[in-house]
Amino acid sequence: MANEPDWVGEGDTLIKCDVELMVQGPSDKVTAGWTAKALREIADKLEADQYTDGFHDITSKQGKKLGEVYFDFSEVNPI
């Protein structure tokens, strides 16, 4: 895979992840909290193996789109 980190070894799994969020709130503290909550939810779903390759919408609990996350799960230099 192009642009692999030099610490990746044979047979390793590589996850490319891009996150783009636009979170608006009434204050810095509230907006930071909402952003952190969205990032924790992404991490929880990733650990629960709920993502596949590709783009996934990130929404608030009210259903408003906050952004998206992209994952590319790859096996690097299979043994």
Side-chain angles (χ1 to χ4, degrees):
M1 177 177 205
N3 300 321
E4 304 176 350
D6 55 359
W7 47 262
V8 174
E10 284 189 43
D12 285 350
T13 296
L14 179 67
I15 300 174
K16 178 180 178 6
C17 174
D18 294 316
V19 179
E20 185 171 317
L21 298 174
M22 294 282 290
V23 183
Q24 181 177 345
S27 69
D28 288 349
K29 184 173 178 139
V30 170
T31 306
W34 291 346
T35 303
K37 183 177 186 317
L39 291 169
R40 281 191 292 275
E41 289 176 4
I42 292 168
D44 289 345
K45 287 179 73 175
L46 177 61
E47 287 183 327
D49 200 28
Q50 295 180 3
Y51 287 114
T52 58
D53 284 347
F55 289 94
H56 305 272
D57 287 342
I58 305 302
T59 58
S60 69
K61 66 180 181 181
Q62 294 81 18
K64 179 183 175 195
K65 184 175 177 180
L66 300 175
E68 61 188 14
V69 61
Y70 171 82
F71 287 105
D72 179 6
F73 300 91
S74 303
E75 187 173 343
V76 180
N77 301 321
I79 299 172

